[in-house]
Amino acid sequence: MAGGRPLYRTLTAQSLFPPANFQISKAMTTFAPEQYKETLIFLTTAGVVVPLFRRLKVSPILGFLGAGVLLGPYGIGALGEKISWLAPFAFGNVEQIAPVAEFGVVFLLFMIGLELSWARLALIGKLVFGLGALQVFGSAAVLGGVALLLHETPVSAAVIGLALALSSTAIVIPVLAESKRLGTTAGRTIFAVLLFQDLMVAPLLFMVTMLGAQAGGLGMAVVSTLIPAITGLSVIVIGGRIVMRPLFRHVAAAGSTEFFMAACLLVVIGTGVVTAISGLSMGLGAFIAGILLAETEYNREIEVTIEPFKGLLLGLFFVSIGASLDFSQVFSAPVLTFDITVGVILIKFCVNWVAGWILRLPGRISTEAALMLAPGGEFAFVIITAAVAAKALPAASGAEVMVAVTLSMFAVPPLGILAQRFAGRRSIPDVTSIPEADHPAPDAIIIGFGRVGQLVGDMLHTHAIRYVAVDTHPGVVKRLRSEGRDIYWGNASRPEFLERCGLGKAKALIITMDKPSDTEDIVRDARTAHPGLTIVARARDAQHATALYALGVSDAVPETIEASLQLSEAVLVDMGVPMGKVIASIHEKRDEFRKLLQPGEDHAKARRAIKMSLRMKEMKKRQEKLNRDE
């Protein structure tokens, strides 16, 4: 936002990428470095800010916001007009990067949707429509009343109250995720309120349009606002249920990582564009698409594929927020600007806390939620812009409110630190009935769910051990999932994929893949990340088993040796040897082979001793046979 201009805008052809008419064949003659200036500045900022702030144990969000202020047109950009050599180091046009930066919020909400499902969403309905409604309308009423006292008209006061009642989903959620509090009771409470606010964007825009509509224009306002919104949501929900699962099944069958990534981007951006055309936020469409895909077998692989885009685009979003802060407006009326900012935060904190008290939330939960939801949010820009366009709010008042909202958004990370410290000092038990997850974390993960993997899964199920299976064959995954098996499609050789499947909380990892190189990669990464994890892997032969032991596997089961032992057991039992002796001898032989396959110098002596023992036994048997023959 600059000079009262909104941060959020409709998508245009402008972006960080070269123009469409850029010809590669003319690259040497038409190349203009300034076309890539914003891209290079941002990538440099990301490369410096994230490692530095993580080393300082400070949220990178603060770094991106600060970098945006420093490198924006009102920071170094303003100095660049007087000191020419500074100009190349500043963002020259924030409006150019704003459309791309908005996708950071879109990808964030899509990822949140992937962690939910319709069933789990229904379980938090009380908080979404109870606490959320109290927070939004309570804050709007109080803030609107204050605006009336400051001599705003009733219509303007209503618009200001509604705009300031909203909080920043784009900053609050990453702050909670950074401090690992998004999965706590307080985090889920805050998320429920933010979800209600996102759902209210379209109705609030409709209300603003009504407030600015002339007599006789109400019917047109309904047609132009609500009907497109309902149509857009219907297209995403109904069309998504019909199209999305077959789409990803078709792409997965192709076995191309690039095609799968393209399908993910198509869903995220496509659903966002549909809701944007319908007058809703792009993030809401992506969120619904995420919920639809959360119920499919592809959600874990989608999460891993989208995560890098989300992180990079969110960083760009925070940079654009910082760069949009117009210091000239702040310094033109500093006392008024800061009074509005602090007043909004204090009023919303009180209203939010009372709303939690009304719903009988624990004091700690209410306080944390009230702190995180007190600042303003990005959707205030949307509401204010629509109100000014509809002449429901004077442009000057809108500019003052938008500057105050921007400043308040800078307060979210510090308030997050305060809320975290407050939560750490207090230890009140959580009594709210908010679901932790759709399913508990698995005790075991099975990679490769063919005949061998399914048999292992059956044995685990027999002993009431919960497992999650992974396979790369879409047809197998579809069939087994329809049978009620907890199985996902994805590339298990990616460490981040296994972490999404719950490897960090699992007790055992079972690998039954028939590709030795992939098995070795998975064992190596899993052992490095989790030294205490039990890893059992299927080996092609003795040599492969030795290699797996060298990589840190707990047990390697060679196919040839195990098959020989099972055949031996069957033969001995059928020949009348007592079962107890057979089982004991099989276990003894299996232990001998296990020691024989262990790598290293210490195990080399053991292997030689075992080989010598086996030779001596063989020679003894031959000698006994010769004696009998004589």
Side-chain angles (χ1 to χ4, degrees), residues 4-6 8-10 155-156 159 205 207-214 380-399 402:
R5 296 190 298 270
Y8 277 76
R9 296 178 178 274
T10 55
V155 172
S156 298
V159 171
L205 285 173
M207 293 173 64
V208 167
T209 305
M210 283 198 307
L211 291 173
Q214 300 295 325
F381 302 127
V382 180
I383 302 297
I384 295 297
T385 302
V388 171
K391 299 186 178 184
L393 180 69
S397 298
M402 293 174 77

Side-chain angles (χ1 to χ4, degrees), residues 122-431:
L123 291 175
I124 61 174
K126 176 183 177 182
L127 288 175
V128 174
F129 298 102
L131 183 61
L134 285 174
Q135 186 274 327
V136 171
F137 296 116
S139 298
V142 176
L143 291 169
V146 173
L148 276 175
L149 296 177
L150 295 176
H151 309 294
E152 292 287 347
T153 64
V155 172
S156 298
V159 171
I160 292 173
L162 291 171
L164 293 178
L166 303 178
S167 306
S168 178
T169 301
I171 301 182
V172 171
I173 295 296
V175 167
L176 291 174
E178 185 72 25
S179 59
K180 294 181 172 56
R181 289 185 294 133
L182 186 57
T184 64
T185 302
R188 292 188 296 275
T189 302
I190 295 167
F191 171 74
V193 176
L194 293 172
L195 177 57
F196 179 80
Q197 293 182 5
D198 290 344
L199 294 173
M200 285 300 297
V201 170
L204 290 180
L205 285 173
F206 169 65
M207 293 173 64
V208 167
T209 305
M210 283 198 307
L211 291 173
Q214 300 295 325
L218 180 59
M220 184 57 65
V222 174
V223 172
S224 62
T225 305
L226 281 186
I227 292 181
I230 295 173
T231 302
L233 291 177
S234 301
V235 168
I236 293 176
V237 174
I238 298 174
R241 284 188 174 276
I242 297 173
V243 174
M244 284 188 186
R245 192 188 293 265
L247 169 66
F248 279 97
R249 185 178 300 127
H250 173 73
V251 173
S256 171
T257 303
E258 293 78 11
F259 289 162
F260 192 87
M261 182 182 297
C264 294
L265 296 176
L266 172 64
V267 169
V268 178
I269 298 174
T271 53
V273 170
V274 170
T275 49
I277 294 174
S278 305
L280 300 168
S281 69
M282 294 183 69
L284 182 58
F287 174 74
I288 295 174
I291 293 178
L292 292 172
L293 288 171
E295 300 174 347
T296 70
E297 58 269 32
Y298 305 101
N299 63 340
R300 299 305 181 202
E301 183 70 18
I302 294 172
E303 287 177 358
V304 175
T305 303
I306 291 296
E307 180 66 32
F309 295 96
K310 185 207 75 173
L312 196 62
L313 290 171
L314 265 181
L316 182 60
F317 172 80
F318 296 131
V319 169
S320 69
I321 289 287
S324 67
L325 182 60
D326 188 350
F327 286 103
S328 64
Q329 291 193 11
V330 176
F331 294 138
S332 64
V335 176
L336 177 61
T337 301
F338 282 100
D339 283 349
I340 294 175
T341 302
V342 175
V344 167
I345 293 176
L346 289 176
I347 290 173
K348 289 183 66 178
F349 172 81
C350 295
V351 173
N352 295 339
W353 195 93
V354 171
W357 176 78
I358 292 174
L359 291 182
R360 298 182 179 180
L361 296 179
R364 175 177 65 84
I365 305 300
S366 297
T367 303
E368 286 188 68
L371 284 170
M372 297 302 296
L373 296 170
E378 58 277 356
F379 289 121
F381 302 127
V382 180
I383 302 297
I384 295 297
T385 302
V388 171
K391 299 186 178 184
L393 180 69
S397 298
E400 293 175 354
V401 171
M402 293 174 77
V403 171
V405 169
T406 304
L407 286 176
S408 72
M409 292 170 71
F410 276 82
V412 175
L415 289 175
I417 296 173
L418 179 62
Q420 185 177 9
R421 291 179 178 177
F422 178 82
R425 290 198 303 265
R426 302 285 296 275
S427 58
I428 302 174
D430 295 342
V431 297

Side-chain angles (χ1 to χ4, degrees), residues 566-611:
Q566 292 179 12
L567 285 171
S568 301
E569 179 181 351
V571 169
L572 291 171
V573 171
D574 291 342
M575 294 179 65
V577 180
M579 177 65 74
K581 290 184 178 182
V582 172
I583 293 176
S585 62
I586 292 295
H587 281 297
E588 180 183 353
K589 186 65 65 176
R590 184 178 287 115
D591 291 338
E592 289 179 359
F593 278 116
R594 185 179 290 114
K595 293 177 182 179
L596 184 65
L597 297 173
Q598 295 288 339
E601 183 63 29
D602 293 337
H603 297 292
K605 296 179 180 179
R607 289 200 299 273
R608 287 194 294 267
I610 293 172
K611 288 180 180 179

Side-chain angles (χ1 to χ4, degrees), residues 38-98:
E38 279 77 14
T39 304
L40 293 174
I41 292 175
F42 169 68
L43 293 176
T44 303
T45 301
V48 173
V49 165
V50 175
L52 176 62
F53 275 70
R54 288 196 184 280
R55 177 170 295 184
L56 296 174
K57 296 182 179 180
V58 179
S59 172
I61 296 172
L62 284 174
F64 283 121
L65 290 171
V69 172
L70 178 65
L71 301 175
Y74 307 107
I76 291 180
L79 295 176
E81 297 177 359
K82 300 178 181 179
I83 307 175
S84 59
W85 62 270
L86 287 177
F89 302 99
F91 289 104
N93 188 357
V94 179
E95 295 180 357
Q96 184 180 10
I97 68 174

